[in-house]
């Protein structure tokens, strides 16, 4: 026994948050392939890059929180599967990374190959290298690739659910923490994962297409559509939150520890504001905003509503991870905790983590041809160049402006 | 004039003395530096060679002086160093170990089944066991493998027949103090072992739940999973750490340090497989309780005279803990007790 303290700190809060974004953005990316929603096609490639940037950093959270991260290899060589929930992470994460990379390869191979033929210099070589030297462009091959893309996306959705379901399992399996030992943990985590992924994709789509795409234009119908999906997921998430609160009432008759823990942490304790205003209040704000058509179709306001949802999900992770550990196991009172600014398990770590993700995402945006319009234009432009020579370049440029 | 001369002479002498002392100081500093430097240059390799050459003798040394215990400050836990041979410390007889499916332990019919019985009627709350454990196992400051919680129940009543007489009236103090030694329960169904992602922690067939500090990644899942808060992250080795039932002692036929030191003989350690052992007899002749039986962990530390767990509720009617040095000071309850200003 040490002094009872919060053992899992901020990086573990960031861990389900980031995993949720992966699961959600992957599902948004699969809308056009699996669910046949063709209007979301422009999002497909972008969301794959978002997923990759986040998934590469998903294990950094728990590794930054563990005290001997250099022994990560033990997770592969001595994996305790399926008994240890954390051990499942190794399997699911590794599979997911492979699936996402395969999916990215299949989605980007054809445009990369086309671009490598028209781009001179090291960039062209990089494109060629990224296709792994595969040059086949026959109709049949492209169709087969698309078929595999759909299969992988379906498998990826299954993985997205298990990836986030098992995070609920990590907390739900620990019966020593009454606030975690909850059957609702898994569905709550899965729903909030999808919600945060959609919210993130609305923001990323609005920013990236407004400032970095070929047409510099955001399709407000697409944003509207995503917002409409978000409303439904918001409702389910809110419903589960309400069920969780209502559930703590009958639990009070059977399980004193859960009831008193809920009361002394979330009703009149250190996380009262974080729960009622941060988690539930912002969710209601996001839902209210999303109900207005004017807000749904305006990329700026839709982003604001999505940001409110994202912050609410962050609070949900915080309340779960930190809140569960504030209840003491053998001593009295509520365990004291305030997040550190610098050092192990601090805000600095979480900030750095998100900056790393942003950096990798920017890098991916620069390398991969995620914008179909820009790719089309570049291919068209270069064929014109070869046909009509240097003179046309200036006229093309003028047309562009 | 003469006085002036004396002054000059004195000044000169002082200056010369100053110069001389400075020179002396420099000389001495160089000498000390040189000695230290040479000692480092020679001593380093000599020490290393000595350490390499003498592992065998150290392993066999019995007087304690030659044991090269480098403490937790060497987290490399070098196997070549005799004391740090964790295979020998944790499981010298290569007993079967279990990471899950603990019901299969019965099938291998282990020779021993180590348990501890704590007779609360005999505990005086002296905390000797706490100290003995810290001393035996080199536990960092602020962490405990065993501790004695002290609880108080009752109230001070104003009655005419009270034995406490004050100017305001007579009182009767109806207060009971209860001391409850706590440690890892070495559960037969340990929830901390199943959740370990790298199989670093295990249950040995004869009972003790142990951690291999060479494998632990320090993720903290087991610390969270233990309902008794018996585990902690060792701040020096950066791995999960817990009571080992003094496994290196019991394998040599000794008692755990806390049992040896217990002045009231409240702690009794023994083999449940042996029907003539003291623990078997105690368990057969006394009603015994375990901590938090509702967790389904099947604890193997039994208490005589434990009427339920001490309440952690903020309820004046409940049994509440008194703040000893093993209590959690990192809580709102302690804040209330000490006043917020004292903590800052």
């Amino acid at each position: 026994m040490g002094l009872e303290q919060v053992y899992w700190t901020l990086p573990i809060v960031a861990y389900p948050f980031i995993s949720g974004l992966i699961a959600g953005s992957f599902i948004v990316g699969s809308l056009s392939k699996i669910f046949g929603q063709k209007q979301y096609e422009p999002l497909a490639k972008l969301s794959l890059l978002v997923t990759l940037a986040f998934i590469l950093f998903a294990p950094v959270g728990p590794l930054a929180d563990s005290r001997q991260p250099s022994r990560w290899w033990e997770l592969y060589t001595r994996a305790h599967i399926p008994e240890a929930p954390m051990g499942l992470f190794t399997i699911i994460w590794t599979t997911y990374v492979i699936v996402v990379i395969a999916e990215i390869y299949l989605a980007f191979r054809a445009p990369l190959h086309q671009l490598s033929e028209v781009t001179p210099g090291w960039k062209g070589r990089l494109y060629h290298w990224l296709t792994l030297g595969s040059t086949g462009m026959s109709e049949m091959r492209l169709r087969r690739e698309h078929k595999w893309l759909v299969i992988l996306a379906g498998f990826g959705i299954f993985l997205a659910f298990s990836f986030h379901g098992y995070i609920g399992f990590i907390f739900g399996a620990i019966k020593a923490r009454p606030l975690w030992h909850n059957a609702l943990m898994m569905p709550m985590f899965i729903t909030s994962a999808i919600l945060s992924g959609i919210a993130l994709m609305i923001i990323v789509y609005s920013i990236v297409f407004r400032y970095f795409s070929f047409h510099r234009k955001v399709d407000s119908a697409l944003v509207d559509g995503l917002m409409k999906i978000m409303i439904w997921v918001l409702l389910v998430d809110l419903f589960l939150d309400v069920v969780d609160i209502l559930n703590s009432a009958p639990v009070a008759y059977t399980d004193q520890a859960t009831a008193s823990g809920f009361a002394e942490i979330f009703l009149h304790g250190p996380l009262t504001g974080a729960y009622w205003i941060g988690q539930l209040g912002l969710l209601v704000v996001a839902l209210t905003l999303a109900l207005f058509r004017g807000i749904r179709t305006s990329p700026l306001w839709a982003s604001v509503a999505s940001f409110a949802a994202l912050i609410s999900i962050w609070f949900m992770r915080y309340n779960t991870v930190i809140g569960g550990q504030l209840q003491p196991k053998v001593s009295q009172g509520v365990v004291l905790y305030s997040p550190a600014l610098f050092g192990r398990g601090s805000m600095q770590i979480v900030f750095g983590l998100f900056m790393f993700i942003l950096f990798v995402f920017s890098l991916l945006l620069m390398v991969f041809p995620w914008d179909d319009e820009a790719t089309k234009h570049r291919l068209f432009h270069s064929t014109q160049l070869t046909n009509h020579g240097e003179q046309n370049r200036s006229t093309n440029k003028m047309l562009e402006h | 004039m003469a006085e002036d001369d004396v002054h000059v002479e004195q000044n000169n002498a002082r200056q010369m003395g100053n110069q001389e002392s400075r020179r002396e100081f420099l000389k001495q500093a160089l000498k000390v530096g040189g000695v230290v430097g040479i000692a480092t240059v020679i001593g380093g390799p000599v020490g290393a060679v000595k350490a390499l050459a003498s592992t065998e003798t150290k392993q066999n040394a019995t007087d304690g002086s030659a044991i090269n215990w480098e403490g937790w400050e060497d987290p490399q836990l070098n196997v070549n160093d005799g004391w740090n041979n964790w295979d020998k410390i944790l499981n010298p007889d290569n007993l079967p170990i279990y990471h899950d499916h603990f019901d299969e332990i019965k099938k291998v019919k282990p020779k021993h089944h180590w348990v501890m019985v704590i007779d609360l009627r005999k505990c005086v709350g002296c905390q000797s066991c706490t100290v003995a454990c810290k001393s035996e196992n080199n536990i960092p400051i602020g962490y405990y493998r065993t501790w004695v919680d002290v609880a108080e129940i009752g109230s001070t009543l104003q009655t005419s027949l009270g034995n406490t007489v004050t100017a305001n009236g007579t009182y009767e103090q109806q207060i009971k103090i209860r001391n409850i030694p706590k440690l890892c329960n070495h559960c037969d169904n340990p929830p901390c072992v199943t959740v370990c992602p790298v199989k670093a922690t295990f249950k040995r067939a004869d009972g003790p739940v142990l951690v291999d500090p060479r494998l632990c990644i320090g993720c903290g899942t087991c610390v969270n999973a233990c309902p008794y808060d018996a585990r902690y992250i060792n701040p020096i080795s950066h791995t999960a750490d817990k009571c080992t039932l003094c496994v290196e002692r019991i394998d040599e036929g000794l008692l755990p340090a806390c049992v040896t030191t217990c002045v009231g003989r409240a702690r009794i350690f023994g083999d449940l497989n042996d029907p003539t052992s003291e623990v078997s007899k105690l368990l057969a002749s006394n009603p015994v309780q375990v901590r938090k039986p509702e967790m389904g962990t099947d604890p193997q530390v039994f208490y005589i005279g434990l009427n339920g767990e001490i309440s952690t509720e903020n309820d004046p009617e409940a049994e509440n803990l008194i703040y000893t040095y093993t209590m959690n000071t990192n809580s709102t309850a302690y804040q209330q007790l000490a006043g917020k200003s004292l903590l800052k």
Side-chain angles (χ1 to χ4, degrees), chain A residues 351-367:
Chain A
F351 180 77
L353 187 55
F354 281 108
M355 287 304 110
F356 261 121
I357 293 171
L358 190 63
F359 173 71
V360 169
F361 178 58
S362 315
L363 218 59
L364 291 173
L365 276 188
M366 277 192 259
V367 172

Side-chain angles (χ1 to χ4, degrees), chain A residues 61-77:
Chain A
L63 281 179
D65 196 70
S66 74
R67 272 71 164 179
Q68 295 277 13
S70 57
R71 296 180 184 171
W72 62 274
W73 187 247
E74 308 283 5
L75 286 163
Y76 286 96
T77 55

Side-chain angles (χ1 to χ4, degrees), chain B residues 84-194:
Chain B
N84 277 345
N85 189 342
W86 284 97
D87 289 325
K88 276 200 174 157
I89 292 172
L90 297 173
N91 196 1
D93 300 331
N94 276 324
L95 294 169
I97 60 171
Y98 295 85
H99 304 288
D100 41 65
H101 300 293
F102 304 106
D103 46 340
E104 285 170 12
I105 293 178
K106 278 180 203 142
K107 287 180 197 162
V108 299
K109 298 208 168 95
K111 205 171 150 198
H112 302 292
H113 181 174
W114 302 120
V115 299
M116 194 182 283
V117 177
I118 298 178
D119 193 343
L120 294 182
R121 299 169 300 184
K122 294 180 179 173
C123 178
V124 296
C126 67
Q127 306 275 3
S128 296
C129 46
T130 316
V131 179
C133 172
K134 286 196 79 122
S135 167
E136 167 75 22
N137 297 302
N138 210 0
I139 312 295
I141 290 171
Y143 295 85
Y144 302 93
R145 284 185 184 179
T146 183
W147 67 100
V148 182
D149 270 344
V150 183
E152 192 176 66
I153 186 171
S155 52
T156 306
L157 302 171
Q158 190 167 19
T159 60
S160 54
L161 294 167
N163 52 8
T164 305
V165 184
T166 71
N168 300 326
T170 51
Y171 296 89
E172 189 181 331
Q173 292 190 315
Q174 296 188 339
I175 289 172
K176 271 190 237 165
I177 300 280
R178 299 187 48 227
N179 309 304
I180 306 183
K182 292 178 177 174
L183 69 156
C184 168
N185 285 295
H186 296 276
C187 309
D188 270 358
N189 184 22
C192 55
V193 175
T194 31

Side-chain angles (χ1 to χ4, degrees), chain A residues 1 4 7-8 66-68 71 78 80 83-84 174-177 260 325 329-336, chain B residues 100-101 144 196-199 213 216-219 223-224 226 229 237-238 292 295 312 320-321 330 332:
Chain A
M1 174 212 180
E4 281 201 52
Y7 295 101
W8 283 351
S66 74
R67 272 71 164 179
Q68 295 277 13
R71 296 180 184 171
R78 295 179 61 84
H80 194 195
E83 274 82 7
I174 293 180
K175 58 186 169 188
R177 296 279 183 205
S260 64
Q325 295 178 90
K329 292 191 271 196
V330 295
S331 59
Q332 277 159 195
V334 174
V335 176
L336 300 173
Chain B
D100 41 65
H101 300 293
Y144 302 93
C196 179
V198 295
K199 297 185 194 163
C216 174
I217 59 168
C219 67
V223 182
N224 268 324
C226 172
D229 204 34
S237 71
H238 302 294
K292 299 195 183 183
M295 288 286 171
T312 57
N320 281 294
L321 297 172
N330 186 29
T332 51

